[in-house]
Amino acid sequence: MFPGLSRWFDVKPFQQQILVLAVVLDPIGFLAGYLLAPSVGVEPLMGGVYGLVAASLPMSLFVMRRAQ
């Protein structure tokens, strides 16, 4: 999709890749959970927490893939 961005990400050391994923995915997950929570009937702050948990899933999958 983004060959330049993918190449840039792949040349980074593993520790920096994890940090980049956390910096990008955590705010997106929190914001999405915070904004979608009232439509599901949950308090916005709890929705943000659920969003953080959901955002950690791609990073966990990335770490598991690298562990193989």
Side-chain angles (χ1 to χ4, degrees):
M1 182 192 292
F2 299 106
L5 186 60
S6 175
R7 194 174 316 117
W8 174 82
F9 185 75
D10 287 337
V11 299
K12 297 289 182 197
F14 181 67
Q15 294 85 357
Q16 288 181 357
Q17 289 177 349
I18 294 295
L19 186 64
V20 167
L21 285 175
V23 166
V24 170
L25 294 177
D26 285 349
I28 292 172
F30 182 82
L31 186 62
Y34 186 83
L35 293 176
L36 292 175
S39 65
V40 182
V42 179
E43 290 292 323
L45 190 57
M46 282 305 296
V49 172
Y50 293 149
L52 284 174
V53 171
S56 69
L57 183 66
M59 188 165 29
S60 298
L61 293 174
F62 175 75
V63 170
M64 292 299 288
R65 190 183 81 199
R66 288 287 302 249
Q68 289 182 347

